[in-house]
Amino acid sequence: MRVQSWAISDVGRQRVANEDCHYVDTELGLLLVLDGMGGHRAGEVASKLAMETISAFYTAHAVNSRLGPEMFDDYDHRFTYHTNLLRQAVFIANRVVVEKSMSEEGLVGMGSTLTGLAVHEFTASLINVGDSRTYLIRNGTIEQISKDHTLAEDQVERGMMSREEARDSQLKHILSSVIGVDSRIRVHMDELVLSPGDMFLLCSDGLTAVMNDEETLTFIMSGPPGPGVLGRLIEEVNERGGPDNTTLVLTVLGNDREPTDETSESE
């Protein structure tokens, strides 16, 4: 499966520093967006440290699927090796960030959200913590395929709040799982069979705070995928106040041959 990706990150109109970060490796098929939180630039430290830890661990082990389940905290046999590997990378990053936050007084309480995607052959491994999101754009439609870890979403799952109530609730701004804040962490993972032409948009909540899914789709479909589309999205976010940092990674998948047992091409 061939991978093409473009990324952009903007501080917005109301922040003085950008605590978001992103990672794009089209050859390996690994894409990450992280949104840090914490005072005195601690969020910037948390997101960068988590990004470096996840990318390094996944890169080191992605090509060796013969490694056994014993290297994992909790291997889920419903999913592929690569999906379990991505989740294990998040577990390790959580421990690293927690330990770092405890080592310096100015970093106490720092954390980061994450949304990530790893393409291997004709499968996408999906991972997220917090409220940074991944969207699938297929056949002219958009679908959120990440899961928000917020108190509002938790109440929807328990039947205590409707989806409509959650959209207007202040609880949607309170995260229920974050990298680096607690030794225990909830990580959402999933897998998706890919089709040529699929597009994925990974974003921090600077986008979703001011634009709904259909508005985002309209911008994505307004021209050929690339930096121009992402630039117009950032401009619109800032026209609407730019209340937060905004980071976007847009990925387009395609292939020019039938699936084989060989390693898929990337670019």
Side-chain angles (χ1 to χ4, degrees):
M1 185 69 70
R2 298 170 62 243
V3 180
Q4 292 180 290
S5 294
W6 304 270
I8 190 170
S9 189
D10 187 81
V11 69
R13 294 283 177 83
Q14 300 181 32
R15 299 294 178 93
V16 296
N18 192 343
E19 296 183 319
D20 288 0
C21 69
H22 62 276
Y23 181 87
V24 175
D25 184 338
T26 53
E27 183 175 352
L28 188 61
L30 179 62
L31 313 164
L32 306 171
V33 167
L34 302 96
D35 180 357
M37 47 187 259
H40 306 291
R41 292 186 178 267
E44 182 180 346
V45 174
S47 61
K48 184 178 180 181
L49 183 57
M51 180 269 289
E52 291 173 343
T53 304
I54 294 167
S55 59
F57 183 83
Y58 186 87
T59 299
H61 299 292
V63 297
N64 188 5
S65 59
R66 294 189 299 273
L67 294 173
E70 63 274 4
M71 72 172 286
F72 297 89
D73 287 5
D74 179 20
Y75 195 96
D76 191 330
H77 291 274
R78 298 173 300 170
F79 296 97
T80 63
Y81 166 83
H82 288 88
T83 302
N84 277 280
L85 184 66
L86 194 55
R87 184 176 67 158
Q88 183 63 23
V90 176
F91 287 153
I92 293 172
N94 186 60
R95 292 197 287 266
V96 169
V97 176
V98 167
E99 291 172 2
K100 181 68 173 178
S101 69
M102 296 174 63
S103 69
E104 297 183 32
E105 183 177 350
L107 301 179
V108 173
M110 72 176 181
S112 179
T113 68
L114 160 76
T115 192
L117 171 71
V119 177
H120 45 100
E121 297 181 344
F122 288 81
T123 302
S125 295
L126 310 168
I127 203 88
N128 82 274
V129 181
D131 61 354
S132 291
R133 292 180 177 178
T134 295
Y135 289 96
L136 168 65
I137 300 167
R138 175 184 283 175
N139 298 326
T141 65
I142 188 169
E143 177 186 2
Q144 180 184 342
I145 52 176
S146 56
K147 175 183 177 182
D148 291 349
H149 291 131
T150 65
L151 293 187
E153 185 64 27
D154 292 349
Q155 293 210 1
V156 170
E157 289 188 354
R158 297 187 182 106
M160 301 171 63
M161 182 182 292
S162 69
R163 183 68 60 191
E164 291 71 24
E165 290 171 331
R167 292 193 187 102
D168 298 323
S169 173
Q170 290 301 309
L171 295 180
K172 70 179 182 180
H173 302 296
I174 303 176
L175 300 176
S176 57
S177 186
V178 181
I179 292 174
V181 172
D182 194 290
S183 59
R184 298 166 298 177
I185 186 173
R186 287 192 298 151
V187 179
H188 175 68
M189 67 173 176
D190 205 350
E191 289 180 352
L192 180 70
V193 176
L194 298 170
S195 297
D198 283 349
M199 288 193 290
F200 292 91
L201 177 67
L202 286 68
C203 64
S204 60
D205 68 340
L207 174 70
T208 55
V210 297
M211 296 186 67
N212 64 39
D213 295 356
E214 291 304 317
E215 289 174 325
T216 298
L217 177 64
T218 298
F219 273 86
I220 294 295
M221 303 301 291
S222 66
V229 166
L230 297 184
R232 289 192 293 274
L233 262 175
I234 291 292
E235 289 176 3
E236 182 64 22
V237 168
N238 286 333
E239 282 293 318
R240 300 186 185 196
D244 202 350
N245 310 145
T246 300
T247 299
L248 310 172
V249 174
L250 180 64
T251 296
V252 180
L253 305 178
N255 71 290
D256 52 11
R257 62 182 180 182
E258 293 299 316
T260 69
D261 292 332
E262 300 175 354
T263 302
S264 301
E265 294 180 354
S266 300
E267 69 177 22

